[in-house]
Amino acid sequence: MKVYISGRVTGLPYEEAWMNFQMVEDLLIEDGYDVVNPLRNGLDPDDPWEAHMKEDIRLLIGCDAIYMMDNWRSSAGANIEIGMAIMFGIRIMNESGKRIKITISDE
């Protein structure tokens, strides 16, 4: 199963974000998954956010599942990615293995 990692990058020191994604990548590989780490999307970290999102969504659409890191709710990009996953019927995973509850508010 091919799994895309989603979580917060913007607003964190790049080294911290890299370490967070690398740790999840290592755990998923250890569990036997084929992992897509968006921090390895081929773009320079300083490229515009929009360029990263376009490439990341392209990568996500080719996956069977998306793994939501604990900090995903504070990330605009991760919120877009989970929305895309829902739209395309991509399985949503997290560390606990529990289904992530998604609520839509009228506010």
Side-chain angles (χ1 to χ4, degrees):
M1 179 184 302
K2 193 178 214 179
V3 179
Y4 178 93
I5 304 170
S6 182
R8 183 175 177 202
V9 176
T10 302
L12 295 177
Y14 188 74
E15 297 76 22
E16 180 180 342
W18 179 266
M19 198 168 61
N20 291 342
F21 276 75
Q22 184 62 54
M23 184 172 55
V24 171
E25 180 180 359
D26 292 344
L27 291 172
L28 290 171
I29 288 171
E30 187 176 302
D31 286 345
Y33 294 105
D34 179 14
V35 180
V36 175
N37 181 339
L39 297 186
R40 300 180 191 278
N41 68 8
L43 299 176
D44 187 279
D46 293 326
D47 283 344
W49 180 85
E50 294 83 2
H52 280 276
M53 287 306 304
K54 286 177 185 178
E55 182 61 19
D56 295 349
I57 290 168
R58 185 187 71 74
L59 293 170
L60 168 62
I61 290 172
C63 292
D64 305 300
I66 184 170
Y67 179 98
M68 304 306 296
M69 294 170 58
D70 288 341
N71 62 7
W72 74 270
R73 292 180 193 274
S74 62
S75 167
N79 277 275
I80 291 168
E81 291 166 349
I82 198 168
M84 298 296 291
I86 291 166
M87 184 169 52
F88 287 106
I90 295 170
R91 181 178 170 196
I92 301 169
M93 304 167 61
N94 67 4
E95 184 176 6
S96 68
K98 295 179 183 172
R99 183 178 174 89
I100 295 175
K101 184 177 180 183
I102 307 297
T103 57
I104 299 172
S105 172
D106 290 339
E107 297 176 11

